[in-house]
Amino acid sequence: MTEYFLLFMSAAIVNNFVLTRYLGLCIFFGVSKNYHASTSMGLAIISIITLSSMITWVIEHFILLPLGLYFLKTIVFVVVIAVFVQLLEMVIKKFMPTLYNVWGIYLLLVATNCVILGVPLINSEANFTFIKSTVNALGSGTGFAIALILFASLREKLQFSDVPKSLDGLPIAFILAGMLALAFQGFSGMIPL
Amino acid sequence: MNLWKEFTKGLVAENPIFRLALSLCPALAVTSNVYNALGMGVTVLFVITCNNIVVSAFRNVIHPKVRVPVYIMSIATIVTVAMLTLEAYLPVLFRELGIYLPLVVVFAIILARAEVFAAKNSVIPSMIDGLGMGVGFTIGMVTIGAIREIIGNGSFFGYQILGSWYHPPLIIILAPGGFIVIGFIIGVMNLNEKRKKDKSEKAEMAAGGTI
């Protein structure tokens, strides 16, 4: 149990996806202008990351490895995840229209994204078991959501501050993200993995 | 002449990293030294050029409704080729780039060029466009890599260029430094652009005054 808890915390905080591994930056800078959008995005990411890492684990261990097709890993993962997200979107549209109105658009945005592809690849590199990969995916997704929501709150505050003209917009957002990453740097080395 | 224009637009005016702010993940992740940055830049240059060629050659056959999955399949195949090649000939670089190498598949810039340019143009201009964008990307990567390596480690391409008097701030090659350096680079580019605009406005005013 402790092992899984440590794995979760390590994925969520210590090796935070955005701030120490730089994955998913397009979403991180794109969605974080608005606090509400970033919460929906965070939830979408957590669910898709967990489901897609489960699916890719099954495919890797029951199809790719027995058939000796390991070198096709990247292609297969990308296609499987893209198809799965499309399917999920259709199902939600049909059966849960209210939910679809809230974050349907975010589902498609994350279909081909570094975070969603990154977690299955990390799992397969580390040779995790099924439960471990799921926990790792859950942790990574949570870490991404935490970072996104924190950053969105910071950026909303930033709108009221007087920023030098040439740094306004994207540049100051980068520098702010650097400061946030600096704070997260304090966690590094807390959980040896 | 026209082809030359297609090539040069990717270098500065539409530089993938600084102007379009696309594909930022690798721009931060593997630029802690120049060698890795160059390796990643050349890999992306190869992938984007090959993919533009493939997409433009098949642009009349691909049904518009399924175009994105087809592009992604094509990119993933080319990336796999690049990965196997790197693993065979440059194993050290392959290990250093690690997880970011398969992630080239989902770089927004590659899909964006296929969608915006290669799907509408013939093979030769698409190839030139891919080359230009790839070179622009490589220049961006190497610039960030050079700044971070010189400030954060006092070296360039692994050679120590600053003497022992220099105590490098480690933070620049760690995660937060990447964000801060890229923020300031975009800031400087904005400043430069503003100065140019002011100058041309002033020149116009002066010209208007004499008439």
Side-chain angles (χ1 to χ4, degrees):
Chain A
M1 202 58 224
T2 333
E3 193 189 352
Y4 294 126
F5 179 70
L6 282 182
L7 183 62
F8 180 85
M9 289 312 279
S10 145
I13 307 282
V14 181
N15 294 314
N16 187 287
F17 239 72
V18 204
L19 297 172
T20 65
R21 286 194 201 153
Y22 308 112
L23 293 173
L25 289 180
C26 305
I27 290 184
F28 190 63
F29 285 105
V31 186
S32 60
K33 277 179 202 144
N34 179 317
Y35 177 76
H36 287 285
S38 70
T39 6
S40 314
M41 191 60 172
L43 289 178
I45 292 255
I46 295 177
S47 46
I48 292 180
I49 239 176
T50 314
L51 290 170
S52 63
S53 92
M54 285 160 124
I55 294 172
T56 47
W57 190 91
V58 171
I59 287 177
E60 189 190 348
H61 285 258
F62 290 101
I63 300 175
L64 292 184
L65 286 177
L67 295 178
L69 294 174
Y70 194 68
F71 66 97
L72 287 178
K73 187 174 74 177
T74 318
I75 305 177
V76 173
F77 280 14
V78 170
V79 173
V80 166
I81 292 172
V83 170
F84 163 70
V85 174
Q86 291 266 344
L87 210 66
L88 194 70
E89 195 223 345
M90 285 179 204
V91 170
I92 290 180
K93 203 174 184 176
K94 180 87 174 71
F95 294 106
M96 292 173 265
T98 37
L99 186 65
Y100 181 79
N101 286 336
V102 180
W103 47 269
I105 181 166
Y106 298 109
L107 284 181
L108 283 182
L109 267 178
V110 298
T112 54
N113 184 274
C114 321
V115 203
I116 311 288
L117 185 64
V119 175
L121 287 171
I122 288 172
N123 283 341
S124 120
E125 215 104 291
N127 230 338
F128 280 151
T129 60
F130 183 71
I131 299 177
K132 266 193 170 177
S133 349
T134 313
V135 172
N136 188 32
L138 207 60
S140 307
T142 313
F144 189 89
I146 291 174
L148 189 61
I149 292 169
L150 282 177
F151 190 54
S153 322
L154 284 176
R155 270 184 99 169
E156 288 204 343
K157 284 254 185 283
L158 198 65
Q159 287 175 349
F160 302 107
S161 52
D162 193 16
V163 178
K165 250 260 150 69
S166 55
L167 289 181
D168 205 19
L170 202 57
I172 196 72
F174 269 104
I175 295 166
L176 194 63
M179 299 300 156
L180 194 57
L182 200 59
F184 269 74
Q185 199 79 50
F187 293 111
S188 72
M190 262 173 71
I191 300 174
L193 204 72
Chain B
M1 192 57 213
N2 208 8
L3 288 180
W4 180 244
K5 213 186 250 168
E6 299 296 354
F7 180 74
T8 50
K9 74 170 186 248
L11 301 186
V12 180
E14 291 183 32
N15 187 295
I17 297 180
F18 301 130
R19 278 277 152 254
L20 307 179
L22 288 174
S23 309
L24 294 168
C25 315
L28 288 157
V30 295
T31 51
S32 56
N33 65 58
V34 184
Y35 183 67
N36 289 356
L38 187 65
M40 189 50 130
V42 173
T43 311
V44 170
L45 170 70
F46 169 76
V47 175
I48 200 169
T49 311
C50 290
N51 185 56
N52 267 6
I53 295 173
V54 170
V55 167
S56 63
F58 288 97
R59 69 184 186 285
N60 296 324
V61 192
I62 299 171
H63 193 279
K65 272 203 170 149
V66 293
R67 66 183 193 285
V68 174
V70 173
Y71 298 163
I72 291 176
M73 281 297 277
S74 149
I75 298 170
T77 314
I78 297 164
V79 168
T80 308
V81 171
M83 272 174 70
L84 293 175
T85 316
L86 277 181
E87 194 173 9
Y89 293 103
L90 295 167
V92 179
L93 184 65
F94 178 79
R95 263 198 308 278
E96 289 269 315
L97 296 182
I99 179 92
Y100 299 99
L101 210 44
L103 286 177
V104 173
V105 177
V106 287
F107 283 2
I109 181 67
I110 300 172
L111 195 60
R113 284 339 279 179
E115 172 89 21
V116 173
F117 198 90
K120 295 169 196 148
N121 291 285
S122 55
V123 176
I124 300 289
S126 301
M127 190 180 87
I128 302 291
D129 175 78
L131 278 175
M133 283 289 161
V135 172
F137 181 82
T138 312
I139 292 175
M141 294 285 283
V142 170
T143 311
I144 304 171
I147 292 175
R148 286 180 72 185
E149 196 180 337
I150 291 172
I151 298 180
N153 200 24
S155 62
F156 186 72
F157 254 107
Y159 297 105
Q160 212 64 38
I161 53 165
L162 295 176
S164 55
W165 52 269
Y166 183 69
H167 296 289
L170 192 62
I171 199 74
I172 298 292
I173 50 174
L174 288 178
F179 287 109
I180 295 172
V181 166
I182 214 170
F184 277 114
I185 294 178
I186 300 180
V188 168
M189 284 185 84
N190 283 349
L191 202 64
N192 204 14
E193 191 143 289
K194 195 171 158 274
R195 196 167 291 158
K196 235 185 244 168
K197 217 164 122 195
D198 283 355
K199 217 181 230 173
S200 67
E201 262 170 22
K202 237 178 228 166
E204 252 169 47
M205 289 245 293
T210 51
I211 293 169

